Amino acid sequence: HDWDTRAYAVARVQPPAPVEGCPSLCVIAVHAPHRSITVGGDVVRGICGQAVQRCTVAMGDWNVDADQLYSRWGELVGDAGLTTIAPNERTCCWPEGQHYGIYDHVASNIAGASAEGFLVHPYQILEENPVQQHRPVSVRLALPRA
C-alpha cells in the first residue's frame, strides 16, 4: 500500500439511453493517491465485469495531469485503452500561490466517446479558508448511441 491511500467508488449501471457496444457502463469516482494505484483494480473488475474493457467512465482527482493518466488508468482499470480525457487544466489547489496541479479529469475507454465541452468552476466557500481545495469540474461527455 502507498503512503497516501485514497478512495474510490465503482458501480455497473444501465445507461439512460442505449450506448453503442455497452449494455452497461462501469462508472468510477476516484481520488487517486499521489503515487501508483496499488489496490482496487480487482474490485473494479469484479463489479464491472466485461464492461470495464470498453464501457468505463471515470472521474475525479487522479493526482496527475492528462498525459500521465494512462498509467493510473491501467493500474485501476487494466489495459483497456483510453479514448477520451478532459480537461487538462489547472484545478489544484487553493490558495494557488502555494499549490499547482492539473489533476481533475473525466476519462473513458468507450469507442466514439468525446468531450464536447467542460467548465472548471471557481473555488467554493473561500470564506472558510479551504486549504488544498480543488476547483470543481463539469464535463459534457458525448457517448455514441446504439
Side-chain angles (χ1 to χ4, degrees):
H1 302 280
D2 46 27
W3 62 275
D4 67 342
T5 301
R6 304 298 172 108
Y8 64 93
V10 60
R12 187 175 61 203
V13 301
Q14 182 176 357
V19 174
E20 186 176 332
C22 296
S24 63
L25 300 177
C26 180
V27 179
I28 306 168
V30 62
H31 187 187
H34 288 268
R35 300 201 285 193
S36 299
I37 298 173
T38 58
V39 296
D42 56 338
V43 175
V44 170
R45 289 183 292 281
I47 291 171
C48 291
Q50 291 186 357
V52 77
Q53 293 301 316
R54 65 179 194 281
C55 298
T56 299
V57 176
M59 76 248 20
D61 175 2
W62 292 88
N63 275 308
V64 294
D65 66 31
D67 295 337
Q68 297 171 321
L69 185 58
Y70 295 89
S71 63
R72 293 290 172 86
W73 179 268
E75 293 163 355
L76 187 61
V77 175
D79 293 331
L82 280 167
T83 59
T84 306
I85 303 171
N88 194 26
E89 303 283 329
R90 184 177 185 177
T91 56
C92 177
C93 295
W94 192 89
E96 287 189 346
Q98 298 175 16
H99 305 281
Y100 185 86
I102 302 172
Y103 293 158
D104 302 275
H105 317 284
V106 171
S108 178
N109 63 0
I110 299 173
S114 63
E116 292 190 340
F118 65 86
L119 178 61
V120 177
H121 300 272
Y123 293 107
Q124 309 292 301
I125 316 172
L126 294 179
E127 63 272 10
E128 293 186 19
N129 192 30
V131 174
Q132 296 188 7
Q133 180 190 80
H134 291 230
R135 295 173 66 188
V137 173
S138 300
V139 175
R140 178 169 168 71
L141 186 64
L143 302 177
R145 292 198 170 251

